[in-house]
Amino acid sequence: MAKRRYPKATPSFRRGRSLARRGLWGVVAVAVLAGLVAGDRLGLFGTKSTPSASAAADWETYDGKTFVVSRVVDGDTIDLAHFDSVNNKKTTRVRLWGVDTPETVQPNTPVEWFGPEASAFVKDTVQGRQVRIELEPNKKPRDKYNRLLAWVVLEDGRLLNAELISQGYGYADPRFDHHRKAEFAKRQAQAMHARIGLWQHGAPPKDLPEYYRNGRHKLPK
């Protein structure tokens, strides 16, 4: 019986076959990678990392503990000299609960009225010193930027968050609920009436934060 003869593969045919093989291997690689990612999220390769687990770790690591302030970012934001496992950084960035100081370092935002004074006050108060961190009960310990949200207690027992408001360096932030919200509103009203700090010229609308200027929140009286 005569041997069947097959047509000789042309260069273009061989190139097409090679591309098809590469495409198939690419699909297989993507599928394997997707499976590995899904398995990792399900905890098949070790302990599953979840937001609740991360929050619990933050409570264990920070609440009631004492740390040295390595840097003052601005009036309401500081860095602690402690490794942050969530962000994999040498320091932990803390955003103070319940107080909002004028901006000094926010990109594309001009330095706001009394912002430098607020930053200077915080530097003089906590830079290089020990503070005690307390977390707000029943709230997530981090904000959307993964900064730790905290109450910062000074060495003499005073609360930095409250001092900023009482001495006119910051606003009682009305945008978020916490257990000191009414107290902070009262402190702000007292600072306004005394015309101290950022209230020394009253409350010119141009100097107020956007959430007061747009009418979403009213100044405490």
Side-chain angles (χ1 to χ4, degrees):
M1 185 172 60
K3 183 182 296 184
R4 180 177 296 180
R5 301 184 64 180
Y6 295 94
K8 187 176 181 181
T10 64
S12 61
F13 175 79
R14 287 196 296 270
R15 285 196 298 271
R17 183 171 56 188
S18 177
L19 289 173
R21 287 174 177 172
R22 292 178 185 176
L24 178 61
W25 279 113
V27 171
V28 171
V30 170
V32 171
L33 180 60
L36 290 173
V37 171
D40 182 58
R41 290 179 177 176
L42 291 173
L44 300 180
F45 309 116
T47 302
K48 181 182 176 181
S49 178
T50 65
S52 58
S54 176
D58 279 340
W59 275 87
E60 178 66 25
T61 301
Y62 298 102
D63 189 52
K65 308 297 194 306
T66 299
F67 305 92
V68 172
V69 176
S70 60
R71 180 190 173 205
V72 172
V73 180
D74 64 8
D76 55 31
T77 309
I78 62 176
D79 287 343
L80 304 178
H82 184 83
F83 177 73
D84 184 353
S85 60
V86 172
N87 294 309
N88 194 32
K89 292 186 176 181
K90 293 181 179 179
T91 58
T92 300
R93 181 146 297 180
V94 174
R95 175 63 167 84
L96 275 64
W97 251 112
V99 58
D100 181 30
T101 61
E103 297 293 345
T104 60
V105 295
Q106 183 172 330
N108 304 316
T109 301
V111 174
E112 295 178 340
W113 160 247
F114 227 72
E117 290 85 348
S119 295
F121 170 75
V122 176
K123 285 181 181 178
D124 290 342
T125 305
V126 301
Q127 181 79 48
R129 300 181 182 179
Q130 289 190 334
V131 296
R132 188 174 77 252
I133 296 299
E134 295 181 355
L135 303 184
E136 173 70 3
N138 304 315
K139 295 287 185 180
K140 293 180 179 179
R142 304 238 177 194
D143 65 9
K144 62 181 180 181
Y145 304 109
N146 262 344
R147 299 176 299 185
L148 192 72
L149 298 168
W151 306 105
V152 177
V153 183
L154 305 177
E155 292 176 310
D156 61 7
R158 290 179 299 153
L159 185 66
L160 178 60
N161 315 52
E163 289 298 310
L164 283 164
I165 298 170
S166 292
Q167 299 191 39
Y169 290 110
Y171 304 94
D173 196 333
R175 295 170 295 177
F176 309 102
D177 289 329
H178 55 84
H179 77 283
R180 291 186 168 101
K181 191 171 184 178
E183 172 200 336
F184 280 16
K186 183 178 179 180
R187 286 176 179 267
Q188 177 168 298
Q190 292 170 342
M192 290 172 62
H193 294 157
R195 294 208 167 194
I196 60 175
L198 54 81
W199 306 108
Q200 59 191 255
H201 301 307
K206 65 181 180 63
D207 294 332
L208 294 175
E210 183 269 341
Y211 48 82
Y212 282 136
R213 294 197 309 270
N214 64 20
R216 287 205 313 270
H217 298 278
K218 294 182 180 181
L219 289 168
K221 297 180 180 180

